[in-house]
Each structure stands twice: as C-alpha cells, then as structure tokens.
Amino acid sequence: MPHVMIIGGSDAGISAAIRAREVDGAAEVSVVLADDFPNYSICGLPFFLSGEVPDWHRLAHRTRADIEREGVRLLTGHTAQAVDPARKVVTVKAKGEPLELTYDRLILATGASPVRPRIGGLDLPGVYPLRFMADSFAVQRHLDERAPRAAVIVGGGYIGLGMADALTQRGLAVTVVEHGPSVMKTVDVSLGDAVRAELERHGVETVGGVAVKSVTEEGGRLVVRAEGFERGADLVLVAVGARPVTDLALSAGVETGPRGAIHVNRHMETNMAGIYAAGDCAETWHRLLGEYTYLPLGSTAHKQGRVAGENAVGGQREFAGSLGTQVVKVFDLAVARTGLNDAEARGAGFDPLTVETTAWHHKAYYPGAHELRLRVTGDRASGRLLGAQMVGHKDAEVAKRIDIFAAALSCGLAVGDLEDLDLSYAPPFGSPWDAVQVSGQAWTKAAFQGRVAHEDREETQ
Amino acid sequence: MPHVMIIGGSDAGISAAIRAREVDGAAEVSVVLADDFPNYSICGLPFFLSGEVPDWHRLAHRTRADIEREGVRLLTGHTAQAVDPARKVVTVKAKGEPLELTYDRLILATGASPVRPRIGGLDLPGVYPLRFMADSFAVQRHLDERAPRAAVIVGGGYIGLGMADALTQRGLAVTVVEHGPSVMKTVDVSLGDAVRAELERHGVETVGGVAVKSVTEEGGRLVVRAEGFERGADLVLVAVGARPVTDLALSAGVETGPRGAIHVNRHMETNMAGIYAAGDCAETWHRLLGEYTYLPLGSTAHKQGRVAGENAVGGQREFAGSLGTQVVKVFDLAVARTGLNDAEARGAGFDPLTVETTAWHHKAYYPGAHELRLRVTGDRASGRLLGAQMVGHKDAEVAKRIDIFAAALSCGLAVGDLEDLDLSYAPPFGSPWDAVQVSGQAWTKAAFQGRVAHEDREETQ
C-alpha cells in the first residue's frame, strides 16, 4: 500500500490526489496544504470580488467533503518545511509544532506566487497582490470597510484586466497601468487595442508604456508614480505575473529549469526518483515548441496533476503538452489565444505569416450577430497551422472557437485543412463557412499572394 | 477560355461559380437557375417566417450584385430542360422560349426537393412543404391573410422543429406529428426526449409514433388524421425529408447511387467526363464510413461546390468528406451531432459503446451556468472516437463544442485523446476540464469497466 504525499492543495495537488485514488483504490494519499482552502479556483477570485459570486465557498472546484469522499487525507494548516529524500520524510509545521511525515512517493504541487516588482511601497496598507484566497479576503475587506473610490491596477494581463472589470462593477474608478504598449500582451497589439477600447468604453483608464516606480501614502491616499505619470488611489492592485514556488524542491535537491520552474519529464517526474512535480511550480511541455517552457495555467495544472497522480501509483501516462490555450472575459469581450504568435513562431525556427480577418460569429441576418477578429499564424513553408488569436463578444462562442484551433493544432493540421473540417451550421450559431474557416481561407490566400509576389521579385532580379 | 456552366443557383452552385472565377479569372462562368433567388439560405426560412428576420432579402448569403461582381453570369428565370453531353449543350426555357446554351464543363447543382409522403390531401389549400423561397412566401401570405390559429406540422426533424419554434412565435398553437418514437431522430431518443420536453415547455404538442394518413377539408378547416389520431388545423406543414433532384442528370446519362443521388468521386466528377455534381443532388463522401452516402446539408453543399468549381477549371482538389455534423435551435435549446451514433457505428462494423454524461457548460459558480447533455460514441476495440451528440441551452456553446468533436473525428483521435486537448478555460466560458473532456473521461471509464466485467464473465465461464 504505497503512501503518496502531495505538497500543495490547489488544482494540481488535488487532481493528483483524486487520480491516484481512482487508479489505485488501495493507495494511501495525503495532501499537505498550508491554508484551509483546498482546490479553490483562483481564476474565480475576480468574480467573487465583483460580487457576481457572493459566496466565496462556491469557488471551490470540489468541497473538502468531496475530496475526502474519494479517500484523500487532507492536512490543512500544515506548512511543509523540508524534504529529506534519503529518509523519505517531509517535515511540516502544524499549529506551530514540527512534525515528520513519511512517504513512498512525493508530488510537489507548490504552485506559484505573485511576482513582486521593484516598486517602492508595496507593503503599504491598501496595496495588494491577488493570488491566494487570503489576498482576496483582504481586498474584499478593504472594499467593504474603506469604500475606496479609485483604484490603480499595475499590470494589464489576465488578472489585472479581470480585476478592472470586477472593480468597475463595484463602482470604483479604475486605472490600469501597463509596462507594454497596449494591454493583454499575450495577444498581438491590434487585438490588445480592441481590449483597451472595451476597457475605455466601460470607463477604465488605460495607460501603456509606463513602468511604475513607487507607491506612497500622501494625505490619507495612495499615490502611484512613474516617469511622467501620477495617479491617486484608494486601492492599488499589483498583478504583473507569477513565478514558481520551489524553495522546498530546491531544499530537497530537485533540479529547476531556466525560468526557475521544477524540471520534469513527460511523466511529470523530477530528476529525483519517486518525486514528481505538477502545476504552476513545474515546467510545461509545449506541444508545438517541442521543448519545456513555463506556462502556468489552471487547465494545465489539472492535466499535469492527473498525470503525476496516475504515475505515482505505478502508471506510465505521458503529459501530452500545452499549447498555451487561454481565454479571459473583459467586460463584454472574450479574448483568447492558442499556439504560437508570430514572434514566438519565428523564435522557434518557423517562417511565420500572421493574417487578421473579421467574420460574423453567426449569420449576419440572424439577430444578435457579433463580429469576431481573428489572427491566424501559420508556417509559410509547410502551410502548418501554428496559432490563433481571437477577440469578440463574450456571447460569440470565442472560447470554443479557439478550442477548434487548439484541436487542429494538437493534430498538426495545416491551415488549409481548416476549411475541410465538417463544422456545424445553423444561422443562429454559425455560417456555412465558420469564422474559423474564413480566417483559414484568408491566410491561405495571403500566403499564396505572398509566394506569387516573392516569385515575381525573384524573376525581376 | 473555358466556359463553366452551372445548373442551380443555391449554395453548391454559387460556391462553385465563385470558386471557379477565383481560381481562373479568365474562365467564363454562368449559373442557370429557375427562380430569382440565387444563394438564398434555406436554413434561414424559419427565421423569416418567425418574424426574427423581417426582410427576406437578408436571407441571401450573397446578393446578386455580390455574385456578379465576381464575374459570374446569373441566368435567373432559366429552367434547364435537357443536357446533350455529346454536343455539350444545355437546353433551357426562359420566358417560355427554348434556348440552347453551350458549355465546356458542366456542374449539376440541382439540389433536393421535399419528399412527398403518401398522405391524402397534400394539394389542399393551406397544406405546404417548406424548401424553396416560393414555399416560404406562400406560408407567409397564409399567415398574414388567413391569420391561422392552429398548425399541424408533419415531421419532427430540423425543418419541422424550426417551424414549430417559428409558428409558436407567431402565436399559433402547434402540434408536431412524428412517425418515430420521439422528435429529432438524428439524435438518440434520450436527447430527442429533452427536445420534446423543450417543445412542450413552450406549448407545442408533440405526438410520436404516428403515421399521418390524410388531410381533409371539413367545415372550412383542415383535419389531419392517422390511426387513433385527429387534429384540426388552419395550416399544415409537411417536412419529412428531402430527395435529390436528378431528372436532368438522368436525362444526360449521369449515374446515380442507391439513394438516388448523383454518383460522384472525391473530385466531385460524375461518371461522365466534364460533368460534375455538388450539393443536395449529389452523394457525399463520409469520412468515417469511408463510403458514399446521402447527407444533404448546407455546409456540405458549400464545400462540395467549392471543390467542383475549382476542379472544373483544371484543379485537382479532393472533397475531404462529411461527418454529418449538424446543429439546430429549438426554442432555447441547441441540438447538435457529429459522426456516427451507436446503430450507424455498428452497421459500419465497429463495436460501439455510447455513454451519456451531463456537465456544466461553464463553472457552476459563475452566474448563468447551463447543464449540457452529451453522448459520446467510441469503438470499444480501438478506443477510437466515432461520434458525439449534445443538447443544451442555446447560449451554452453547444455548436462549437460539437465542432471540437468534429475536429477530433477528422483527425482520427481516440476518445482518450480528448482529455489531452489543451482547451481554453476561464470560469465564464468553461471548466478546467471542459464538458467535452468530461464526457470523454466518462466514456473511457465506462469502457474500462465494461472490459473488466467482460473479463470477469470470461473467467467464471
């Protein structure tokens, strides 16, 4: 009866635990977690703070009872302090007391923590990161007790923009400050600009190309400053990315990769026998790049955890890999991407072409048609599909359309194969050529014209 | 300068024409069509009749001007009467006058006509089929001038149910009479029953297992009768399927297949050199069955037309094939399918298992979550995905989720591969494991349990 111990009770850890029990009903499975919130959906925090999900308990993917019903032992309030791989012992602290726990297999699912940028004053009251349940309780308390009227959000990524949406719903005047030229730098600037327009339509001020230097308290208010920029605020959120939490792994002698994430193989094994890692603390195999990268995403954490859990009880499952597929809602827009953008594809040795198209999400004559903006990236030489980005109304099936691209990418399809997919059609849901296919046809046309132009140039030389 | 002549101006014909001109800008391309409505979306007729699309002109995929701008000659009001393949001449009748038109390549896109069941009284005033623009004008006139209060719809398929929705919106009391046990026999009975419940929730009476015998006029009303069934009505619609229109093809010596559709190869060529066929008049290559079948769908007509048009001007494109992917809106539900159901899979020599699952369309905690019902069919022996069916709220991204299955089917994925797809996740749009993946996991579990049970049986024998 192997004892599988998992450090970390978020998506990867709980997925690993459940899967281990599912595959081997005789396995003893324990999850050590520092707080009291196993399996909470951190992607859901903005919706709790906006008021759309009034009861934070509902943010749990599974309740404590759900997890325990699967035969998983939950050690909440236990902070793992050290791993001794020779003795197979984890030292934890529970209620101030140190405790030694033995294991046969160990899964590190220690997650990520918010990047702390070099900005003065981050410890001032009223300045918050947003990653853990405790952060969201602190922000909620601030909102309830201090009734802030203006917020500055440092960082225009997924969490920053989700919170811009949430705080606007709570009645705050919001400014988003972003280092890059537009917001949402995971998509190309033209789509980022569409997101920025949506933010501004809802009264959110966006300021690009600004590196925040300091937050100070002046006359009972916070002041955020950068070169040529100054805004007063009653609340400041800092959301500029995440980095893997690996102290425990390093203490045990587990190797980490370039971005500091735990190095794993496709079985989610670390360099040390019997120690696995999964989720935001670990590297991710990228299906298109064919290499390990750092791409912390909730959906990936679930998948990696499941693989690690299965293998920890003797399985031989491989993690298929990530395409970096993601979607976010910003007010009435959905913004999504999968695969590589132009620069990433070029960096990986492809000869990419990216083509932007607009297409209706369903037949224009049927009431409620929205225009989608799609950007398709493919390899000129082989015609292979490399990636797609999309922005459109939140009701325009953007997420599942990006997933059609994701499925196509997983299968290594060419851009030209998209039009051959037998997709569903009815006027309220699509067109005889779906927007996905229209964007593929536009890419093929542009690639062909590019080749012709290139040949013409060659001929005249 | 080849002259491509196309008979039929609906989806397949116009797609062929546009594509021929796109590939060969020097080609002379003419489309002969009997009525004045090129490229009209017949799938849109219910939305015109419901009042959702008040102006029927908007139902055109492209306007006459759009088509002519591509350099296509439109011969509206021209009825093709005979083809003489030896002389490469089509005889047409225009304004009562016969006319001979020559061609180099001919594309038959003559479409389908409504099946006329053996029911007495189909020619009575107030009894209509629904396939062509003229049909919808006749029904519209009947609705406007006669203000009918009750309708009987014979046939519970896509058009019948679309019209049940439309006529209910127009204030009529509607009864749907269906030969089969439930409605929407393109999906399994459990999903058909969900559709029936939705119809009844909106006041539509549904009667299954009834073969209508006659419609009669009695005391100024229509009466629809079957064994043990009788309903009065002010309007009767008959929508029991479509059959290929092939008179012209047969007159020219073109071969047809088992269901009477024009036999074509993957290049959309008929048995006669230089004569192509596409759309509802022609056979369809089925990607999973690996054989030709009759599956008249608008999306397929566009694809086949495009292939025929390209090849008619010298191309060598192959039609990739159909999966029978389809979706329809019935009141607040979307009903969709792709690939094979259990019986079809068994007929094709597979050893199918079909598993039904329910899953939320996005995180249950985010407001507006709807439950989806999914049925996944896979092959027990190989694990290969064979088909999927889905019913859910019209806003629950059913159509694009069935398209994820369609993409997976096109690539020959196993059911077990679905969980490896890197699909997008954000709480308003999905779950870390999308409903598509949850249904795949449920199938895998059931298949495994089935194998274990089977082995247990073998051991005890």
Side-chain angles (χ1 to χ4, degrees):
Chain A
M1 197 167 79
H3 179 203
V4 179
M5 177 165 300
I6 297 159
I7 316 282
S10 193
D11 295 349
I14 300 299
S15 295
I18 302 266
R19 184 59 179 165
R21 287 285 306 165
E22 191 177 38
V23 172
D24 181 357
E28 189 188 331
V29 177
S30 317
V31 179
V32 170
L33 65 160
D35 67 15
D36 279 321
F37 310 109
N39 216 194
Y40 267 75
S41 168
I42 59 173
C43 302
L45 299 184
F47 308 112
F48 163 54
L49 293 171
S50 72
E52 290 163 280
V53 182
D55 179 3
W56 59 266
H57 294 92
R58 295 212 61 214
L59 295 182
H61 288 305
R62 296 179 189 82
T63 65
R64 190 179 179 115
D66 290 339
I67 298 164
E68 289 176 340
R69 199 177 304 118
E70 303 294 328
V72 174
R73 192 164 147 229
L74 283 176
L75 302 168
T76 52
H78 284 57
T79 308
Q81 309 226 289
V83 175
D84 180 345
R87 292 170 54 224
K88 296 197 171 181
V89 162
V90 178
T91 311
V92 301
K93 212 169 185 179
K95 294 176 189 162
E97 294 300 310
L99 202 66
E100 287 202 338
L101 304 172
T102 58
Y103 66 83
D104 296 307
R105 297 274 192 285
L106 186 68
I107 300 176
L108 299 170
T110 44
S113 62
V115 166
R116 201 179 148 92
R118 288 175 189 218
I119 297 176
L122 290 189
D123 294 320
L124 286 173
V127 183
Y128 302 95
L130 191 71
R131 178 95 200 162
F132 304 110
M133 290 306 290
D135 300 329
S136 71
F137 294 145
V139 173
Q140 176 78 329
R141 203 175 310 119
H142 190 100
L143 290 167
D144 287 344
E145 294 174 4
R146 310 278 294 274
R149 294 166 60 184
V152 168
I153 298 174
V154 182
Y158 283 39
I159 294 176
L161 298 192
M163 282 308 301
D165 181 333
L167 294 179
T168 302
Q169 289 188 54
R170 290 286 291 257
L172 280 77
V174 177
T175 299
V176 173
V177 188
E178 165 61 42
H179 190 89
S182 191
V183 293
M184 193 67 72
K185 63 186 169 199
T186 47
V187 294
D188 291 345
V189 171
S190 67
L191 302 194
D193 284 346
V195 177
R196 193 166 62 173
E198 176 71 1
L199 288 162
E200 285 169 3
R201 199 167 73 82
H202 288 271
V204 173
E205 182 194 25
T206 61
V207 186
V210 163
V212 171
K213 290 274 195 317
S214 67
V215 185
T216 49
E217 197 175 351
E218 296 173 25
R221 278 198 102 191
L222 297 165
V223 179
V224 180
R225 284 202 180 82
E227 211 173 296
F229 172 85
E230 183 182 312
R231 287 292 177 289
D234 310 303
L235 171 66
V236 175
L237 292 182
V238 181
V240 298
R243 56 178 189 76
V245 173
T246 54
D247 318 28
L248 202 70
L250 292 170
S251 81
V254 168
E255 276 177 13
T256 55
R259 294 274 306 265
I262 299 173
H263 185 59
V264 287
N265 63 17
R266 302 280 294 277
H267 290 93
M268 305 313 296
E269 292 169 313
T270 70
N271 64 306
M272 300 187 70
I275 304 185
Y276 300 77
D280 293 357
C281 65
E283 286 180 344
T284 295
W285 175 253
H286 196 292
R287 240 167 146 144
L288 288 172
L289 297 176
E291 62 182 24
Y292 293 93
T293 175
Y294 185 58
L295 257 172
L297 290 167
S299 47
T300 304
H302 278 83
K303 289 189 182 71
Q304 291 185 335
R306 187 173 164 93
V307 170
E310 182 162 337
N311 293 344
V313 292
Q316 284 298 326
R317 181 110 191 170
E318 277 204 346
F319 171 59
S322 169
L323 298 163
T325 313
Q326 38 199 302
V327 64
V328 65
K329 183 187 93 67
V330 180
F331 292 102
D332 296 337
L333 280 190
V335 192
R337 67 164 287 181
T338 186
L340 308 177
N341 66 20
D342 215 80
E344 291 160 348
R346 200 174 306 280
F350 293 105
D351 178 18
L353 170 70
T354 298
V355 175
E356 185 165 330
T357 318
T358 60
W360 294 104
H361 96 288
H362 63 48
K363 282 303 299 177
Y365 65 69
Y366 188 78
H370 297 290
E371 241 175 359
L372 301 172
R373 290 177 69 175
L374 304 99
R375 288 178 68 82
V376 170
T377 301
D379 183 49
R380 283 178 219 260
S382 63
R384 184 176 168 192
L385 176 68
L386 296 174
Q389 304 167 44
M390 205 183 310
V391 170
H393 191 275
K394 66 183 172 57
D395 298 335
E397 307 206 17
V398 166
K400 296 304 129 193
R401 278 192 169 91
I402 214 72
D403 290 349
I404 299 171
F405 282 110
L409 282 170
S410 291
C411 300
L413 293 195
V415 179
D417 294 329
L418 292 173
E419 72 175 33
D420 287 338
L421 294 178
D422 183 19
L423 305 182
S424 59
Y425 163 55
F429 301 118
S431 298
W433 297 107
D434 188 75
V436 167
Q437 299 175 307
V438 170
S439 71
Q441 288 171 339
W443 187 92
T444 301
K445 204 168 194 170
F448 175 74
Q449 287 165 347
R451 268 199 302 279
V452 171
H454 181 72
E455 281 159 18
D456 285 353
R457 272 199 307 280
E458 301 253 302
E459 270 173 29
T460 57
Q461 273 167 5
Chain B
M1 198 167 80
H3 179 202
V4 178
M5 177 165 300
I6 297 157
I7 315 284
S10 194
D11 296 349
I14 300 298
S15 295
I18 302 267
R19 185 59 179 164
R21 288 284 308 163
E22 191 175 38
V23 172
D24 181 357
E28 189 187 332
V29 177
S30 317
V31 178
V32 170
L33 65 160
D35 66 16
D36 279 320
F37 310 109
N39 216 195
Y40 267 76
S41 167
I42 58 172
C43 302
L45 300 184
F47 308 112
F48 162 55
L49 293 170
S50 71
E52 290 163 280
V53 182
D55 178 4
W56 58 266
H57 295 91
R58 295 212 60 213
L59 295 182
H61 287 306
R62 296 180 189 81
T63 64
R64 191 180 177 114
D66 291 338
I67 298 165
E68 288 176 340
R69 198 177 304 120
E70 303 294 328
V72 174
R73 190 164 149 231
L74 283 175
L75 302 168
T76 52
H78 284 57
T79 308
Q81 310 228 289
V83 175
D84 180 345
R87 291 171 54 224
K88 296 196 170 181
V89 161
V90 178
T91 311
V92 302
K93 210 169 185 178
K95 293 177 188 163
E97 293 299 312
L99 202 66
E100 287 202 338
L101 303 171
T102 59
Y103 66 84
D104 296 308
R105 297 273 192 286
L106 185 68
I107 300 176
L108 299 170
T110 43
S113 63
V115 166
R116 201 179 148 93
R118 290 175 187 216
I119 297 175
L122 291 190
D123 294 321
L124 285 173
V127 182
Y128 302 96
L130 190 70
R131 178 96 200 161
F132 303 110
M133 290 306 291
D135 300 329
S136 70
F137 295 144
V139 174
Q140 176 78 329
R141 203 175 311 119
H142 190 100
L143 289 168
D144 288 344
E145 294 175 4
R146 309 278 294 273
R149 295 167 59 183
V152 169
I153 298 174
V154 182
Y158 282 40
I159 295 177
L161 298 193
M163 284 307 301
D165 182 333
L167 294 179
T168 302
Q169 289 189 53
R170 292 285 291 256
L172 280 77
V174 177
T175 298
V176 173
V177 188
E178 165 60 43
H179 191 90
S182 192
V183 293
M184 192 68 73
K185 63 187 169 196
T186 48
V187 294
D188 290 345
V189 170
S190 66
L191 302 194
D193 284 346
V195 177
R196 193 166 62 175
E198 176 71 1
L199 289 162
E200 285 168 2
R201 199 168 74 81
H202 289 269
V204 174
E205 181 194 26
T206 60
V207 186
V210 163
V212 171
K213 289 275 194 315
S214 66
V215 185
T216 49
E217 197 176 351
E218 295 173 26
R221 279 197 100 190
L222 297 164
V223 179
V224 180
R225 284 203 181 82
E227 210 173 296
F229 172 85
E230 183 182 313
R231 288 291 178 289
D234 311 303
L235 170 66
V236 174
L237 292 182
V238 180
V240 297
R243 56 177 191 76
V245 173
T246 54
D247 317 29
L248 202 70
L250 292 170
S251 81
V254 168
E255 275 177 14
T256 56
R259 294 272 307 265
I262 298 173
H263 186 59
V264 288
N265 63 18
R266 301 280 295 277
H267 290 93
M268 306 312 297
E269 293 168 312
T270 69
N271 63 306
M272 300 188 70
I275 304 185
Y276 301 77
D280 293 359
C281 64
E283 286 180 346
T284 294
W285 175 253
H286 196 292
R287 239 167 147 144
L288 288 173
L289 296 176
E291 62 182 23
Y292 293 93
T293 175
Y294 185 59
L295 256 172
L297 289 165
S299 47
T300 303
H302 278 83
K303 290 189 182 71
Q304 291 185 335
R306 187 171 164 94
V307 169
E310 182 162 338
N311 292 344
V313 293
Q316 283 299 325
R317 181 112 189 169
E318 277 205 345
F319 172 58
S322 169
L323 297 163
T325 313
Q326 38 197 303
V327 63
V328 66
K329 184 186 93 67
V330 180
F331 292 104
D332 296 336
L333 280 190
V335 193
R337 67 164 287 180
T338 186
L340 308 177
N341 65 20
D342 214 81
E344 291 160 349
R346 201 174 306 279
F350 294 104
D351 177 18
L353 170 71
T354 298
V355 174
E356 185 165 331
T357 317
T358 60
W360 293 105
H361 96 288
H362 63 47
K363 282 304 299 178
Y365 64 69
Y366 189 77
H370 298 290
E371 239 174 3
L372 300 171
R373 289 177 70 175
L374 304 98
R375 288 177 68 83
V376 170
T377 302
D379 183 48
R380 282 178 220 260
S382 63
R384 184 175 168 193
L385 177 68
L386 296 174
Q389 305 167 42
M390 205 183 309
V391 169
H393 191 275
K394 66 184 171 57
D395 298 334
E397 307 206 17
V398 166
K400 296 304 127 191
R401 277 193 169 91
I402 214 73
D403 289 350
I404 298 171
F405 282 110
L409 282 170
S410 291
C411 300
L413 293 194
V415 179
D417 294 329
L418 292 172
E419 71 175 33
D420 287 338
L421 294 178
D422 184 19
L423 305 182
S424 60
Y425 162 56
F429 302 118
S431 298
W433 297 107
D434 189 75
V436 167
Q437 299 176 306
V438 170
S439 71
Q441 288 172 338
W443 187 93
T444 301
K445 204 167 193 171
F448 175 74
Q449 287 166 347
R451 268 198 302 277
V452 170
H454 181 73
E455 280 160 18
D456 285 353
R457 271 199 309 279
E458 302 253 303
E459 271 173 28
T460 58
Q461 273 168 4

